[in-house]
Amino acid sequence: SQQGEEDPQALSIQEGENATMNCSYKTSINNLQWYRQNSGRGLVHLILIRSNEREKHSGRLRVTLDTSKKSSSLLITASRAADTASYFCATDPTGSEKLVFGKGTKLTVNP
Amino acid sequence: KAGVTQTPRYLIKTRGQQVTLSCSPISGHRSVSWYQQTPGQGLQFLFEYFSETQRNKGNFPGRFSGRQFSNSRSEMNVSTLELGDSALYLCASSSGGRANEQFFGPGTRLTVL
């Protein structure tokens, strides 16, 4: 089963609004990463947050990590049509040798 | 710096055939990982190579194999293709390993008829 589960599975918003996506995972992790994928293409790394960090910013992106709740959130502020994509969280579970991806949140930003 | 390249981009095969996919990582990256992406199962880890050695392997049958060359280029091979092998196969490289930022290629879309 997937280590990370994104929520919601799909999200549709208007340009200019904020988009929040959540990721929950099951076991302890070393770090958590967020990636974006435009339709049928490769993934693009957005941000990496380590298990000892609580919040990280990159441009219009804000990521939080709550290891006690085993959850993370990705906030995209002032969304644009170009943000339309699927967003995945990926965890690096402690003791595991694999980077495990969730099934993603499909974000649609309407102009 | 050139990005990760994958060839071919699209492939159509029939059941029972075999296929070889190629991945050239970013220059200087020694770790190459392969993933299979399908609508039903999402992104699943196949294997990771580091300095020509398979370092990690996912839960896939032995029909899926790979290798890495001294220049870090990697190939994966799928033998005796099944319909369920139809997927987008993604290659990713990193400077360290799977815990680091992964740089993905555009993928190879494999269709098995």
Side-chain angles (χ1 to χ4, degrees):
Chain A
S1 62
Q2 301 290 98
Q3 158 78 328
E5 296 287 342
E6 289 91 342
D7 167 59
Q9 290 187 331
L11 182 60
S12 181
I13 60 174
Q14 296 299 123
E15 229 173 6
E17 294 180 337
N18 295 341
T20 299
M21 288 157 270
N22 303 297
C23 170
S24 59
Y25 55 92
K26 298 172 184 172
T27 64
S28 60
I29 60 172
N30 296 313
N31 66 55
L32 185 145
Q33 303 179 46
W34 284 91
Y35 288 83
R36 185 189 76 224
Q37 183 180 36
N38 289 87
S39 182
R41 304 195 56 119
L43 279 73
V44 174
H45 183 267
L46 295 175
I47 203 162
L48 181 153
I49 186 165
R50 301 197 186 282
S51 60
N52 61 354
E53 297 176 309
R54 292 296 167 258
E55 188 170 311
K56 214 162 179 181
H57 296 255
S58 176
R60 293 184 297 113
L61 306 180
R62 172 178 167 248
V63 168
T64 61
L65 178 64
D66 187 334
T67 52
S68 66
K69 294 182 180 177
K70 293 187 171 55
S71 67
S72 173
S73 68
L74 169 68
L75 168 67
I76 304 174
T77 60
S79 63
R80 306 165 182 168
D83 295 328
T84 294
S86 291
Y87 292 82
F88 295 86
C89 68
T91 54
D92 173 29
T94 307
S96 168
E97 298 298 319
K98 306 168 190 174
L99 189 63
V100 183
F101 285 83
K103 289 201 172 182
T105 291
K106 188 168 183 178
L107 173 66
T108 302
V109 181
N110 302 299
Chain B
K1 239 183 199 179
V4 177
T5 59
Q6 291 188 245
T7 57
R9 292 293 311 280
Y10 301 91
L11 207 48
I12 299 175
K13 292 285 187 179
T14 56
R15 278 179 298 175
Q17 287 187 308
Q18 76 164 23
V19 66
T20 299
L21 312 181
S22 180
C23 171
S24 292
I26 289 173
S27 178
H29 284 188
R30 295 161 65 189
S31 169
V32 174
S33 297
W34 288 89
Y35 297 86
Q36 180 196 66
Q37 186 177 30
T38 59
Q41 298 298 316
L43 267 158
Q44 293 193 293
F45 172 77
L46 279 157
F47 26 65
E48 180 205 359
Y49 285 87
F50 187 88
S51 295
E52 301 181 66
T53 301
Q54 187 181 88
R55 193 155 70 167
N56 300 301
K57 190 176 190 304
N59 297 323
F60 278 81
R63 300 185 297 107
F64 291 82
S65 63
R67 58 178 175 169
Q68 187 180 32
F69 301 95
S70 59
N71 62 357
S72 292
R73 189 177 70 84
S74 178
E75 289 182 346
M76 70 162 278
N77 184 277
V78 188
S79 62
T80 320
L81 284 166
E82 301 176 359
L83 294 178
D85 297 333
S86 293
L88 181 66
Y89 289 88
L90 293 162
C91 158
S93 75
S94 76
S95 57
R98 86 270 182 257
N100 296 346
E101 176 183 351
Q102 302 281 307
F103 293 83
F104 281 81
T108 294
R109 172 74 62 184
L110 172 65
T111 301
V112 182
L113 303 176

